[in-house]
Amino acid sequence: MNLFETVRFALRGVTANKLRSGLTVLGMLIGVAAVILLVAVGNGSAKAVQARIARLGTTTLTVSSANRQGATTATQNTALTLDLIDALRDKDTAPDVKSVSPVVTSSQAATFQGTSHTIPQIVGTFPSYLGAQNYTVVRGSAFTDRDVTDGRKVLVVGQTVAEDLFGDVDPLNQQVTVNGTLFTVVGVLSTKDSTGFTDPNDVALAPISAVQQSLTGYGALNQILVEATSTAAVPDAQAEVTAILTQRLHVTGTAPFRVQSAAQLLSTAQDTAQTFTVLLGAVAAISLLVGGIGITNIMLVTVTERTREIGIRKALGAPKRTVLTQFLVEATVLSLIGGLLGVLAALIGAQFTIVGIKPAIVPSSIVLALGVSVAIGLFFGSYPASRAAALRPIEALRYE
Amino acid sequence: MNVLDVQGVVKTYGEGDTAVHALRGMSLTVQRGEYLAIMGASGSGKSTLMNILGCLDVPTSGRYLLDGVDVSRLADRQLALVRNRRIGFVFQAFNLIPRTSAQANVELPLAYAGLKAGERRRRAAAALAMVGLADRAKHEPNQLSGGQQQRVAVARALVTAPALVLADEPTGNLDTQSSADVLAVLDRLNRTGRTIVLITHEADVAAHARRLIRLVDGEIVEDVR
């Protein structure tokens, strides 16, 4: 009695009750497909976050104020101000810094000929901001350093703003009203791929002087965007920026600011995505376990139902091991078929976008899910199988 | 040479006051080539004796030697081998494997014996031809009449060419014609030198045998040749 024969007997056993076998396979299929697909969704979202941050530029550093109440004293002004920009631009103390752009942001409604559109992000900055943020101008031109010095009310708008506000009208040189002030549109930004919850095209850029004068007032900066000369120079640039700010702001205790590189943002985002993936995987693993219990149940029913058959087989000279192998193989075949179909379902499912995320299959998750499904078949099948094999022939034959 | 040698076998089911003494110290020897019928009323212990003879059950005490080998000393694997090679069973309830063709049913003991597929098919076909069912090889048990099913079971019992064929009321569920068919096959087997032990409670069935044992309450009360 070789293994091939045993497998043939097992296959005959599986096909003898098609509906029951089918339902068991379905349970396994869902379990395996859920594991692979959910891990793929987690992985896909992690990839999307990485791509978004990479597009942000790996050479940029973001200086933001960590202005907690306890960290400042009344005698110290630790807000980020425009004065700091010049200090950071000093080539002697900060040789690895390529450009420095202050950032003030405001959310305002813009109107053009009766059409109104709320721009969630009006950024007041320097022209260097466009380069640092990988923005390119498709029509017209960006504002210049001269515009900043003169405080001219000019605007470079994103695609969404251009479409919502102007429709078919050419936005170039049109005048829009923002918070009661007239701004002239001088350029339109090229489309940026949307990857997150905010539309990167729903934005307007303007000289910082104009924004401060008419929209935000002359308060502290929201951020300072520092561009390093190269990716390799990012750590040096970060150290230089930190040193200059510490000195300029007379920091003694906890730093009232944070200097973050894109790489740091990336690792934080990756950690988050990792947790997300593990969580999804754990939920899916439970469904796989439920599928396994389904197999045990079916095998127990099968063994009970076929007790007489086991008795006949034993009377005809089937040794314990052969009976054990047959039922184990039956359980394994069920879980393996379920597992393979599950992989197939997951591969098909991964072709679609799920809740805005393009799933990215992790090859190891396929191996793992398939391996676990077979292991479950063996593990959960072994109890009913050993029960079947241990039956004494006369007891099995008498069973009704 | 004794094929079967039963020495003081006792079989008791249950314990204490509720114990049922199915066999009370039975001794019996059967020689090669004998045709033995065991008769007795229901509850006389004839099926228990058959199960012990067929290595399906173990006696509570006493010795049972099959071809000179004490089977109580055998491990599961060796017992399986004994059941496979030495003994052919025919049950009252046919006991064919459902949803499996007659051919496959007859091949089953050969598969457990480890024969190759071609050899199995040839021998199973020969066995089916011997019981006159060569044209029913592809039929499943539920497509066969009771008599045909029992003849498939007989073919399955003789396909491994066992020295001993045990038949537990083989005609109990059959009409007269089918009974005659099955008994004719058993008679023919005995003429080729097989030892046959037949359990029955019908006198005309027992008349086919050349030795008759009568059991009452787990003891032999009559043994005539």
Side-chain angles (χ1 to χ4, degrees):
Chain A
M1 188 78 189
N2 57 26
L3 190 67
F4 176 72
E5 290 289 336
T6 315
V7 170
R8 245 190 43 200
F9 279 149
L11 282 177
R12 204 174 288 157
V14 168
T15 48
N17 199 327
K18 292 194 180 60
L19 179 66
R20 186 194 293 167
S21 300
L23 287 173
T24 315
V25 163
L26 187 67
M28 218 55 210
L29 185 158
I30 291 171
V32 168
V35 166
I36 297 175
L37 209 52
L38 289 185
V39 168
V41 166
N43 187 43
S45 76
K47 283 230 165 81
V49 170
Q50 281 168 29
R52 204 181 311 156
I53 291 170
R55 213 172 295 128
L56 204 145
T58 48
T59 57
T60 55
L61 291 168
T62 312
V63 182
S64 51
S65 178
N67 212 347
R68 283 156 299 171
Q69 288 301 317
T72 52
T73 61
T75 55
Q76 253 182 321
N77 183 10
T78 56
L80 301 172
T81 58
L82 271 175
D83 307 343
L84 296 171
I85 303 298
D86 291 329
L88 290 171
R89 273 181 169 165
D90 188 336
K91 278 291 167 209
D92 295 329
T93 49
D96 294 304
V97 171
K98 186 177 163 195
S99 74
V100 183
S101 321
V103 177
V104 291
T105 52
S106 170
S107 176
Q108 300 282 351
T111 46
F112 170 72
Q113 293 180 353
T115 315
S116 180
H117 171 76
T118 303
I119 306 171
Q121 244 200 328
I122 299 176
V123 180
T125 185
F126 288 176
S128 57
Y129 180 85
L130 280 81
Q133 289 282 48
N134 288 349
Y135 277 117
T136 46
V137 179
V138 279
R139 306 211 46 226
S141 60
F143 57 89
T144 60
D145 286 330
R146 185 69 193 276
D147 294 331
V148 177
T149 325
D150 295 352
R152 287 180 59 195
K153 312 244 175 338
V154 292
L155 214 53
V156 180
V157 294
Q159 286 289 344
T160 307
V161 178
E163 282 161 23
D164 280 13
L165 213 50
F166 301 102
D168 294 337
V169 182
D170 183 359
L172 281 189
N173 299 320
Q174 299 291 351
Q175 296 216 309
V176 293
T177 315
V178 184
N179 200 21
T181 313
L182 277 176
F183 279 80
T184 311
V185 176
V186 293
V188 178
L189 296 169
S190 64
T191 312
K192 262 195 165 190
D193 286 339
S194 174
T195 48
F197 307 105
T198 55
D199 182 0
N201 299 310
D202 203 358
V203 71
L205 311 179
I208 186 164
S209 44
V211 172
Q212 284 187 323
Q213 186 197 334
S214 55
L215 303 177
T216 62
Y218 295 93
L221 302 175
N222 295 73
Q223 272 182 358
I224 298 174
L225 194 70
V226 178
E227 193 182 0
T229 48
S230 69
T231 312
V234 168
D236 287 340
Q238 188 170 6
E240 288 156 17
V241 167
T242 310
I244 293 167
L245 291 177
T246 306
Q247 190 234 326
R248 288 294 296 240
L249 297 174
H250 311 290
V251 175
T252 46
T254 317
F257 56 85
R258 251 196 333 251
V259 184
Q260 275 187 303
S261 67
Q264 283 164 328
L265 281 173
L266 196 65
S267 81
T268 312
Q270 267 169 340
D271 287 350
T272 313
Q274 190 76 42
T275 315
F276 187 50
T277 308
V278 167
L279 191 73
L280 286 177
V283 171
I286 291 170
S287 69
L288 194 58
L289 187 72
V290 172
I293 292 168
I295 285 195
T296 318
N297 191 16
I298 290 304
M299 290 314 294
L300 274 175
V301 171
T302 306
V303 165
T304 313
E305 195 188 67
R306 286 162 64 190
T307 305
R308 262 183 89 84
E309 184 191 320
I310 294 164
I312 299 169
R313 286 176 185 275
K314 290 199 117 181
L316 295 179
K320 208 175 193 171
R321 215 191 43 177
T322 308
V323 176
L324 183 74
T325 318
Q326 183 189 334
F327 282 91
L328 266 189
V329 170
E330 274 189 33
T332 312
V333 161
L334 282 179
S335 58
L336 192 65
I337 292 174
L340 286 173
L341 288 176
V343 169
L344 195 69
L347 289 177
I348 293 169
Q351 304 306 309
F352 301 99
T353 303
I354 298 163
V355 289
I357 296 164
K358 179 95 186 70
I361 295 275
V362 185
S364 62
S365 76
I366 294 182
V367 178
L368 189 77
L370 210 54
V372 166
S373 76
V374 172
I376 278 179
L378 282 172
F379 181 76
F380 286 105
S382 64
Y383 170 64
S386 63
R387 228 177 70 157
L391 283 171
R392 278 201 294 152
I394 188 62
E395 288 168 348
L397 273 176
R398 282 214 194 101
Y399 189 86
E400 290 298 334
Chain B
M1 175 70 189
N2 293 333
V3 177
L4 303 177
D5 188 354
V6 178
Q7 302 169 354
V9 162
V10 174
K11 180 71 188 181
T12 310
Y13 295 105
E15 278 172 22
D17 294 344
T18 57
V20 175
H21 302 283
L23 295 178
R24 304 163 185 264
M26 177 172 296
S27 295
L28 171 73
T29 56
V30 178
Q31 316 237 290
R32 186 169 299 283
E34 274 197 81
Y35 195 161
L36 174 75
I38 299 174
M39 288 187 76
S42 178
S44 60
K46 53 189 195 310
S47 281
T48 305
L49 177 62
M50 178 65 94
N51 291 333
I52 289 172
L53 293 181
C55 301
L56 296 177
D57 207 350
V58 286
T60 311
S61 67
R63 274 179 15 122
Y64 166 44
L65 289 86
L66 178 68
D67 275 342
V69 179
D70 189 348
V71 293
S72 63
R73 303 243 175 112
L74 298 180
D76 176 80
R77 220 185 143 62
Q78 290 163 310
L79 267 179
L81 212 62
V82 166
R83 289 195 282 259
N84 186 251
R85 304 286 166 86
R86 303 254 172 101
I87 305 168
F89 280 105
V90 181
F91 301 94
Q92 181 179 6
F94 319 143
N95 279 349
L96 296 178
I97 305 227
R99 292 181 293 265
T100 309
S101 72
Q103 172 89 19
N105 260 293
V106 176
E107 278 186 29
L108 199 59
L110 298 176
Y112 290 129
L115 261 72
K116 290 226 157 47
E119 174 72 5
R120 280 203 319 247
R121 215 168 300 134
R122 201 183 56 72
R123 284 177 66 171
L128 279 171
M130 194 181 163
V131 297
L133 287 175
D135 54 334
R136 295 282 193 276
K138 295 276 175 284
H139 289 55
E140 292 184 4
N142 58 8
Q143 298 168 313
L144 296 171
S145 74
Q148 288 169 332
Q149 285 188 54
Q150 192 60 301
R151 281 190 283 160
V152 171
V154 172
R156 188 178 64 183
L158 62 85
V159 74
T160 52
L164 175 65
V165 174
L166 299 175
D168 188 354
E169 303 208 29
T171 59
N173 289 353
L174 300 182
D175 60 81
T176 321
Q177 182 53 46
S178 299
S179 297
D181 288 346
V182 169
L183 288 169
V185 174
L186 290 179
D187 291 351
R188 201 148 15 111
L189 277 176
N190 181 245
R191 281 199 293 278
T192 61
R194 304 279 155 73
T195 314
I196 294 182
V197 178
L198 178 74
I199 285 184
T200 184
H201 54 252
E202 293 166 66
D204 54 336
V205 172
H208 282 256
R210 286 194 301 264
R211 179 182 173 190
L212 176 69
I213 284 176
R214 214 176 277 279
L215 293 187
V216 173
D217 291 339
E219 280 170 299
I220 298 175
V221 295
E222 193 184 349
D223 186 348
V224 289
R225 283 171 205 263

